[in-house]
Amino acid sequence: MSAATRRFPLRKNDRRLFLDRVSTKLGINTESMFGSKPQIEVIEMSKGKIYVVNGDPLVAESEEKMFPTLQFEEHVSHLPKVVVDMGAVPYICSKADVMGPGIVEIQGEFEPKSLVTIVDVKNRKPIAVAESIYDSKTAATSKKGKLFRNLHCVGDEIWAVAKEIEDRRKS
């Protein structure tokens, strides 16, 4: 795990604080999703943290923003979706923000600073988790400029470490 600088379990008090933050920031009923006493580990990296819940890399934190990893499919699948054309995919997967011209469709409603899932038009697979700059109505009618701030994408440091954790679990 080359990108990770340190890995450690959360203590009981810190675990409760973390679960409360996840519940508030991501709107998740943590007890029904993770159980009453989940095991939580923290992986510290140069650009943030990954929280491994019951062995799965589900939540990340970077630049004081908390968001689900792309591996947290149960949550990512319920976020509003921004469908982008295939020409935008390589840029988004290189950590570029999502610009108006690359957007094909917006599904769901959201407010500024809401989390959204970015999916490609061909496969409809999640390629990024982003934060909206505008509300859904404004974003749907804007055809130029930056509309979504890319927080996490396929191929970034968080994705690489999370993928490595998943691969180890499978073997």
Side-chain angles (χ1 to χ4, degrees):
M1 208 173 301
S2 57
T5 57
R6 192 168 83 123
R7 184 173 180 161
F8 58 93
L10 275 184
R11 287 179 270 165
K12 187 177 180 180
N13 290 344
D14 294 333
R15 186 173 58 216
R16 177 61 21 220
L17 289 171
F18 167 76
L19 292 171
D20 288 345
R21 282 183 56 224
V22 167
S23 180
T24 301
K25 300 238 182 215
L26 302 183
I28 295 172
N29 180 334
T30 55
E31 189 164 339
S32 68
M33 179 114 4
F34 306 142
S36 60
K37 294 183 180 178
Q39 290 184 321
I40 303 169
E41 288 182 282
V42 179
I43 299 174
E44 290 182 341
M45 303 174 306
S46 61
K47 297 196 176 182
K49 298 175 183 175
I50 295 177
Y51 294 92
V52 180
V53 182
N54 296 329
D56 294 317
L58 300 181
V59 179
E61 193 169 30
S62 181
E63 299 174 20
E64 298 184 28
K65 300 228 181 277
M66 182 176 275
F67 48 90
T69 65
L70 288 168
Q71 286 78 3
F72 193 0
E73 294 172 12
E74 296 89 1
H75 187 62
V76 170
S77 66
H78 295 297
L79 293 174
K81 294 190 182 25
V82 176
V83 183
V84 298
D85 64 37
M86 294 309 289
V89 171
Y91 295 100
I92 294 168
C93 291
S94 295
K95 200 74 172 113
D97 291 327
V98 182
M99 309 298 272
I103 297 172
V104 174
E105 177 185 356
I106 293 179
Q107 301 171 352
E109 293 186 12
F110 50 85
E111 296 299 317
K113 297 192 180 276
S114 296
L115 295 175
V116 299
T117 303
I118 309 299
V119 299
D120 69 85
V121 70
K122 183 178 177 185
N123 303 304
R124 301 287 173 150
K125 298 277 186 192
I127 60 168
V129 174
E131 179 183 59
S132 63
I133 295 172
Y134 303 101
D135 64 41
S136 53
K137 289 179 182 163
T138 304
T141 58
S142 297
K143 294 297 174 200
K144 60 182 183 175
K146 180 180 5 176
L147 302 179
F148 299 92
R149 184 169 165 251
N150 193 339
L151 300 174
H152 162 50
C153 60
V154 170
D156 70 4
E157 181 182 43
I158 294 167
W159 184 85
V161 171
K163 188 93 173 110
E164 192 174 319
I165 291 167
E166 280 189 334
D167 291 347
R168 280 189 192 161
R169 278 192 78 175
K170 290 176 184 173
S171 59

